[in-house]
Amino acid sequence: MTYFITTPIYYVNDAPHIGHAYTTIACDILSRYNKLKGDKTFFLTGTDEHGQKVEKAALSKKKDTQNFVDEMSQNFRDLIPFLGCQIDDFIRTTEERHKIATQFLWNKLKDNDQIYLSNYEGWYSIRDEAFYLESELTKTENGLIAPSGAPVEWVKEQSYFFKLSQWEDKLLEYYEKNPDSILPRSRYNEVLSFIRGGLKDLSISRTTFKWGVQVPDTENHVMYVWIDALCNYITALNYPNTDHDSFKTFWPGIHVVGKDILRFHAVYWPAFLMAAGLEPPKQIFAHGWWTNEGQKISKSVGNIINPYEIIDTYGLDQIRFFLFREVPFGNDGDFSKDAIAQRVNADLSNNYGNLIQRISSFIIKNSDSAVSKPQNYKEIDHQLLKSFDETLVNYIKNMNSFQIDKALKNIFDYLSEVNAYVDSQAPWSLKKTDDQRMKDVLYLVTLITIKISVILYPVIPSSIDKALKIYNLSIDNLNLNNIEHFSPDLINLNIPKPLFPRIDL
Ligand code: ME8
């Protein structure tokens, strides 16, 4: 199986913040998970560098636009390893390969009679880089605003249009046949009702500024930034060379996006693709929005969360874990310091880290730093192993359906069961009464800890690398296909270092 996963490409008008980090980490988790399943994966991210919003940002900094985007794009690229993410490609829309792909796509749409020249007159929001109908806007003291709260301005210019209205039935037909192609289900319903409300042709070129991909065979039209941006997903697969291995292997892919840009991905993008004779995306997952201690994150409120700061304060895996354990993926979430501390302490420090710490230290002290496979398991041991197998089945089901929070909850519920097993079997008491049983219990708990570590790997990879080193193991040899039956004859242990120090409230 192959798995192509993408983040949105981020606007370079400003520095990356927690929202961008969130989407990128989500894709990293899903990509690592699918690799662990044995899939051939491709994880793409990058930057969206054209359009008026970016041009205005460069102007306000009095910088040359190209220099400005070079610098800003680098900030997004640098953040990736800091987030513990492993990508396969980073795309920039100012690259030559992307110009070739977008102009080819444009010509293809034109050849297929999907584009015509007319005049656009209507509302436009530079902040959203989106056109709005008057009926979508709200009157405020400061004028009309878009549903996102962004200001709008009246635009009147010559423009090329894409015949989006012709794709209403085809899109509906496609989505009715593929109900899991937009997730969560509430977002699917939202998109379908938007399409059923009627689609108007879409303005796809601008003439009042220059910062964009030039429309082929024109003097003064640049492409609307969204047709340019969306095309990144196939540029990276070598479009227009659709016979290329990477296109054949990986398209159609899976797009993870914030709910703010679902319409672009679930309506415009599949329509462009179908109109160009290509398959629509396999799946689109729209996640929710993060607030900071209950408040909308915004520059004007001054409460932007800097990913570097919070990771320096709490630790990389602590943040990765918190973001995906605390809030159901798809829902909005609130970033709160107390919630991080509570979550990390309860799950990572107590339930997981302490279990590793106390059992491995005990083995080093009382069992010559090694444990061997027992001759026989007791009924209670079989129960614990059976529970792991059930946890694994649930984990796979949840991860396959983007329910990362549920997958994690299952693991931690199971870890509570493992801790209860340790307390009931009390190896420290067995030490005085039944040395063999003590060793059997220690082996079983160690084995289970290793299995759990493997399934936690996609979310907290660097900590799991450290945890597995305690057992002289590496994730390179463990995966979702061999973990169920993994039971080596002997496990040698190294002295553990605490993985997750408690966070003071
Ligand atoms: O929309 N909570 O780029 P963008 C959660 N260039 N996620 C958030 C967030 C928050 N508070 N803030 C941002 C664009 N995000 C276009 C995309 S794709 C072909 C073009 C995340 O820089 C979320 O994924 O505004 C959102 O969709 C994305 O950043 C928007 O990034």
Side-chain angles (χ1 to χ4, degrees):
M1 289 273 282
T2 63
Y3 190 82
F4 176 39
I5 187 153
T6 70
T7 72
I9 47 169
Y10 305 113
Y11 286 127
V12 289
N13 60 307
D14 217 331
H17 61 70
I18 187 71
H20 307 119
Y22 180 60
T23 319
T24 306
I25 296 171
C27 292
D28 185 65
I29 292 172
L30 294 164
S31 164
R32 285 179 191 266
Y33 162 72
N34 281 277
K35 240 183 238 166
L36 215 50
K37 251 179 29 182
D39 288 356
K40 188 171 174 189
T41 62
F42 190 128
F43 169 15
L44 174 72
T45 187
T47 44
D48 190 354
E49 307 185 8
H50 288 134
Q52 253 174 314
K53 166 159 147 161
V54 170
E55 189 181 51
K56 260 180 77 174
L59 266 172
S60 76
K61 295 254 157 60
K62 298 196 171 52
K63 288 198 174 159
D64 166 74
T65 317
Q66 188 62 54
N67 290 344
F68 174 75
V69 299
D70 288 347
E71 205 177 288
M72 298 300 277
S73 173
Q74 193 59 41
N75 296 335
F76 283 89
R77 200 190 281 259
D78 290 344
L79 182 63
I80 295 162
F82 193 79
L83 300 174
C85 295
Q86 277 177 347
I87 59 165
D88 296 293
D89 195 2
F90 186 95
I91 185 156
R92 300 184 52 191
T93 54
T94 50
E95 288 174 86
E96 186 61 20
R97 61 171 170 162
H98 185 63
K99 185 173 150 196
I100 294 169
T102 39
Q103 291 185 331
F104 190 94
L105 178 69
W106 183 284
N107 282 332
K108 191 86 191 166
L109 294 173
K110 206 168 139 214
D111 292 348
N112 291 353
D113 191 26
Q114 296 295 320
I115 292 179
Y116 62 92
L117 186 63
S118 183
N119 289 298
Y120 179 77
E121 193 169 351
W123 295 104
Y124 191 78
S125 158
I126 297 182
R127 196 164 97 193
D128 296 349
E129 295 283 18
F131 301 97
Y132 288 107
L133 295 174
E134 186 135 345
S135 57
E136 293 177 285
L137 306 176
T138 315
K139 258 198 196 115
T140 69
E141 297 164 350
N142 304 321
L144 286 169
I145 56 162
S148 61
V152 291
E153 59 186 47
W154 188 255
V155 169
K156 190 176 172 188
E157 59 190 316
Q158 193 188 46
S159 172
Y160 283 97
F161 282 79
F162 169 69
K163 295 182 181 171
L164 182 65
S165 57
Q166 295 193 348
W167 291 93
E168 221 172 279
D169 292 344
K170 292 251 169 38
L171 284 169
L172 284 175
E173 194 186 313
Y174 175 77
Y175 283 134
E176 273 154 14
K177 268 197 208 133
N178 298 282
D180 285 335
S181 54
I182 302 171
L183 291 170
R185 182 46 67 96
S186 56
R187 300 286 169 211
Y188 170 86
N189 294 335
E190 195 181 297
V191 170
L192 261 75
S193 74
F194 176 76
I195 301 173
R196 287 195 188 110
L199 297 179
K200 285 202 159 42
D201 289 351
L202 181 71
S203 161
I204 52 166
S205 78
R206 306 289 313 273
T207 48
T208 44
F209 65 96
K210 291 258 172 292
W211 187 244
V213 179
Q214 186 156 10
V215 173
D217 311 315
T218 68
E219 290 271 301
N220 59 342
H221 285 261
V222 293
M223 288 186 204
Y224 171 40
V225 66
W226 270 100
I227 187 169
D228 162 357
L230 288 161
C231 185
N232 91 84
Y233 301 129
I234 54 175
T235 304
L237 298 181
N238 271 287
Y239 184 80
N241 186 356
T242 48
D243 285 333
H244 192 280
D245 261 0
S246 61
F247 194 91
K248 282 202 297 205
T249 309
F250 290 112
W251 191 254
I254 296 171
H255 304 311
V256 176
V257 299
K259 62 181 182 181
D260 56 322
I261 55 173
L262 178 59
R263 195 183 287 181
F264 300 95
H265 284 81
V267 181
Y268 305 162
W269 180 225
F272 294 151
L273 286 163
M274 291 199 254
L278 298 169
E279 269 185 87
K282 190 189 284 172
Q283 253 176 343
I284 300 164
F285 185 92
H287 67 65
W289 216 241
W290 281 90
T291 50
N292 185 359
E293 310 278 352
Q295 272 194 314
K296 187 175 184 313
I297 300 175
S298 90
K299 240 184 152 179
S300 49
V301 181
N303 63 350
I304 301 266
I305 301 169
N306 176 336
Y308 287 99
E309 270 171 31
I310 53 163
I311 288 175
D312 280 341
T313 308
Y314 296 102
L316 170 60
D317 284 345
Q318 285 83 342
I319 291 294
R320 286 176 64 114
F321 180 77
F322 169 77
L323 292 175
F324 290 91
R325 169 67 183 90
E326 190 69 11
V327 174
F329 193 41
N331 291 11
D332 292 342
D334 185 42
F335 195 89
S336 116
K337 292 180 175 166
D338 278 356
I340 299 178
Q342 275 163 15
R343 185 52 79 187
V344 168
N345 289 345
D347 287 355
L348 293 181
S349 306
N350 291 354
N351 225 351
Y352 177 67
N354 271 356
L355 177 70
I356 294 189
Q357 194 67 24
R358 63 182 177 141
I359 294 299
S360 52
S361 309
F362 191 83
I363 293 171
I364 288 168
K365 234 187 195 161
N366 301 295
S367 183
D368 285 335
S369 301
V371 279
S372 327
K373 190 165 165 178
Q375 299 285 327
N376 298 302
Y377 281 128
K378 288 191 170 184
E379 181 50 32
I380 189 168
D381 309 339
H382 282 300
Q383 273 303 326
L384 197 68
L385 283 164
K386 194 169 149 248
S387 265
F388 175 81
D389 295 346
E390 286 163 10
T391 303
L392 181 63
V393 169
N394 279 328
Y395 168 83
I396 291 173
K397 191 184 89 202
N398 286 321
M399 290 298 279
N400 284 348
S401 54
F402 300 83
Q403 301 189 80
I404 307 173
D405 58 296
K406 268 199 188 158
L408 289 172
K409 181 175 184 309
N410 271 329
I411 297 176
F412 282 84
D413 286 349
Y414 177 61
L415 268 163
S416 299
E417 213 179 306
V418 179
N419 276 298
Y421 170 91
V422 172
D423 292 342
S424 76
Q425 298 308 299
W428 44 90
S429 306
L430 290 168
K431 194 178 145 205
K432 296 170 217 141
T433 56
D434 187 345
D435 191 61
Q436 189 53 50
R437 176 65 189 155
M438 173 196 83
K439 288 186 168 153
D440 292 354
V441 166
L442 293 174
Y443 176 91
L444 184 62
V445 176
T446 302
L447 182 75
I448 295 276
T449 311
I450 293 167
K451 289 178 186 242
I452 291 169
S453 301
V454 171
I455 60 178
L456 278 174
Y457 175 77
V459 180
I460 50 171
S462 46
S463 303
I464 297 303
D465 282 338
K466 285 186 206 146
L468 292 176
K469 282 206 179 100
I470 300 173
Y471 311 106
N472 294 296
L473 292 168
S474 149
I475 197 71
D476 299 339
N477 308 315
L478 296 164
N479 57 54
L480 297 182
N481 303 316
N482 64 16
I483 198 61
E484 189 179 340
H485 300 294
F486 178 75
S487 62
D489 291 336
L490 183 73
I491 306 172
N492 284 303
L493 279 80
N494 300 310
I495 296 172
K497 285 198 200 93
L499 289 169
F500 298 103
R502 282 182 67 83
I503 298 174
D504 288 335
L505 270 172

